[in-house]
Amino acid sequence: MIAFVLSGGGNRGPLQVGALEVLLSRGIRPDLVVGTSAGAINAAYLAAYGPDADMRDLAARWRGVRRDLVYPGNVFTMALRVLMGADSLFPNYGMRQLIEDHLPPGVRTFGDLQLACYVTAVDLRTSRLYLFGEDPDAPLVEAILASASVPGIHPPVPYHGMQLVDGGVVAATPAGIAIDKGATVIYAINVGYGGEPRQPVRGLLAILKRTLDTLIVQSLLDDLDRAAADPAVELHHIHITAFQDIPFNDFSHVDAMVEAGRKAAEDYLAHPTPYTRPQPSHAPPTSAPGVREYLPSWRRPPVG
């Protein structure tokens, strides 16, 4: 059973579109899809239209996303929302419209989809990961909106007494869910952070976003480690690092992102390599005495 697992990535979601186009064009068809955050939007589109979904159409839908729709206002309106005690810097009506525009008419529940699809979200009240997709009557828009609601950026989504936010907080690339659902071949299209060093950030919003990335990276790597260690699973990790430093509200590079996603997938399929946990490619700082990276014993490389 083949699963496509699509990571979170915010406005870098079009990178996945290019990779999906390549996989589908090579005859690689999923039996199920799992998505988190932006990956949930792409996963739901693929599940709604089926294995023959037109990725050119999905790219066009991303191309139509406007900054003032998803992140309306300016620094003054954000400050006003903070002073008034709002739950987020931006409202979520634009995000809801974006999700609705990605779904075909009449597709409103998981039971309306052509492929099995699973979407993750986190409940702030219980600090637990929740999974949509097992109940065919569950509402798609609410599930995807919850999965794509980055804490502090968009408000939590109320759902039957829960406060649901971005599933990437706990499961950024939920390969483990695909395994639990019976997948034996996994194509994980990861457009999130994968352990590579990045430039220092400046500015409140950029620091908040980087902080969230730091919180979720360990769950991402642990989930991929689990899939790689399972002898019954064939894991393909397509990690797309392009546009890592793009501002979170910049939607002006869709075509370039789609092309970068295509190239990454083509390069991987030309030379598929087994997944290994990424290691820092830079030496630890020598000018910081008294501090070192801590690795728990189970993550330390064997001696000898």
Side-chain angles (χ1 to χ4, degrees):
M1 181 182 293
I2 298 176
F4 286 179
V5 176
L6 309 182
S7 77
N11 58 334
R12 298 174 66 247
L15 291 165
Q16 292 176 343
V17 178
L20 288 170
E21 183 179 354
V22 170
L23 294 179
L24 295 175
S25 70
R26 301 289 182 90
I28 302 171
R29 299 286 196 271
D31 299 294
L32 64 93
V33 291
V34 186
T36 289
S37 196
I41 298 175
N42 290 332
Y45 177 94
L46 179 57
Y49 286 94
D52 296 322
D54 186 353
M55 291 298 106
R56 293 172 300 178
D57 177 63
L58 180 54
R61 293 171 190 257
W62 275 105
R63 205 176 294 121
V65 178
R66 306 187 317 274
R67 172 179 176 174
D68 61 350
L69 174 67
V70 182
Y71 302 110
N74 51 44
V75 64
F76 299 106
T77 58
M78 286 188 284
L80 182 61
R81 288 178 63 84
V82 171
L83 292 174
M84 294 180 64
D87 292 335
S88 62
L89 296 175
F90 303 97
N92 64 5
Y93 59 80
M95 180 69 76
R96 180 182 291 275
Q97 182 178 332
L98 164 66
I99 294 166
E100 291 174 345
D101 289 346
H102 273 65
L103 296 173
V107 175
R108 288 295 174 262
T109 69
F110 282 84
D112 296 327
L113 299 174
Q114 295 189 42
L115 290 174
C117 177
Y118 301 96
V119 170
T120 64
V122 172
D123 177 27
L124 293 181
R125 296 190 64 190
T126 61
S127 303
R128 297 291 190 272
L129 181 70
Y130 281 82
L131 185 66
F132 286 93
E134 297 175 322
D135 181 355
D137 295 325
L140 268 171
V141 172
E142 295 303 308
I144 301 168
L145 182 62
S147 188
S149 293
V150 178
I153 304 297
H154 288 113
V157 175
Y159 187 77
H160 293 271
M162 295 185 287
Q163 281 189 305
L164 298 180
V165 297
D166 188 346
V169 172
V170 175
T173 307
I177 292 170
I179 297 174
D180 292 340
K181 297 303 177 183
T184 54
V185 179
I186 296 175
Y187 287 87
I189 306 178
N190 174 18
V191 301
Y193 179 58
E196 66 282 355
R198 296 184 288 180
Q199 296 298 318
V201 291
R202 298 289 184 271
L204 175 61
L205 290 180
I207 290 173
L208 288 175
K209 183 178 181 298
R210 180 68 63 82
T211 301
L212 182 62
D213 287 346
T214 302
L215 290 173
I216 67 179
V217 67
Q218 193 60 58
S219 68
L220 181 153
L221 297 177
D222 288 348
D223 212 31
L224 291 174
D225 281 347
R226 175 194 170 187
D230 191 329
V233 174
E234 177 184 323
L235 173 64
H236 299 274
H237 179 226
I238 303 176
H239 187 204
I240 310 174
T241 59
F243 295 93
Q244 283 279 12
D245 295 320
I246 190 172
F248 74 96
N249 56 0
D250 184 350
F251 294 94
S252 64
H253 303 280
V254 171
D255 289 335
M257 287 186 181
V258 171
E259 183 56 38
R262 285 195 199 103
K263 185 178 186 307
E266 288 170 349
D267 289 348
Y268 175 83
L269 292 177
H271 304 285
T273 55
Y275 168 80
T276 56
R277 177 184 283 257
Q279 300 298 321
S281 60
H282 65 301
T286 57
S287 58
V291 64
R292 64 175 178 86
E293 179 187 10
Y294 173 75
L295 294 178
S297 58
W298 62 270
R299 282 188 55 198
R300 295 172 192 164
V303 178

